[in-house]
Amino acid sequence: MARWLLPTQDPWSTPFAETLLSQLSLAPGLHILDVASGHGIPAFYLAEQVGPTGHVLGIDLSAGQVARAQAIQGTQLPWLSFACHDVRTLPDELPLFDRITGNLSVMFFRPNREETLRGLIRHLKPGGQLVLTFPSLGTFDSLWQRVDHELLRRGHSAERERFHVYLAERPSAKDARRWLSAFAMIGIAVIEQPLEVVSGPGRAFLNHPLLRGGFLDDVYECFEDQRQADDMMRAISADLASFSPLIALRCVMSGWKAAAR
């Protein structure tokens, strides 16, 4: 039995990683680049699958995340390594890889996602596969509609305008298919799967680990006066029933680089 199973206690990274693995073709001996690798979901799983004849390099912009992954690894899986790199500016000396993956990675490709994707594909071997996951446009739509209604009701016109800019910037499954097609990838598959996020009202919602420090921050950043943001979000958090269930869309994009002729 595999020792490096995906952790069952992670309600966000693991479901997205499962979606990624459903599309990723794995075999012993492969060399894999895992971008925005965080603390190792699913880098550890990938390393066990490719075995000692392969190699997995996990890269992340956060030195803290890299250090955490290295601490978990210890001396195990010596064909797995972690390093600090910005996926948007990959060094030219990186080799070519058989597979490039990135769980929940596309959100870190801003401001120019298409150019970042182009850079990734440059490091993919001919005949290699790219598989990335991200929460796509439509994620938590019921919440955003409730926020928009409250912004309008309270007369926060400037904040509402900023909020709409945030919403329009979120990538969609259609965007993913367009990007892969633009780079002449073949065998393209773009799939969305729903994921319900369960929360209680009030503080349970405002401090939810999958929302605060992530999606909810987009709302707070629309306000110059954080007291107004806090007041509005407390009112919304008490009205959880009006926007439940909270549904995220797990999008996985997969494509193959055409083999050299």
Side-chain angles (χ1 to χ4, degrees), residues 78-142:
W79 56 93
L80 167 65
S81 58
F82 294 95
C84 271
H85 289 296
D86 188 337
V87 65
R88 297 166 296 183
T89 55
L90 292 177
D92 292 336
E93 60 268 22
L94 275 185
L96 299 182
F97 295 87
D98 301 298
R99 304 286 185 268
I100 295 179
T101 69
N103 193 36
L104 292 164
S105 58
V106 177
M107 65 185 75
F108 302 110
F109 290 10
R110 293 183 294 183
N112 191 334
R113 290 191 174 96
E114 195 162 344
E115 187 57 34
T116 299
L117 189 60
R118 184 196 304 275
L120 279 179
I121 292 172
R122 279 199 293 266
H123 288 280
L124 186 63
K125 289 181 183 178
Q129 185 188 22
L130 172 82
V131 184
L132 308 172
T133 67
F134 60 99
S136 54
L137 185 67
T139 290
F140 302 148
D141 259 2
S142 61

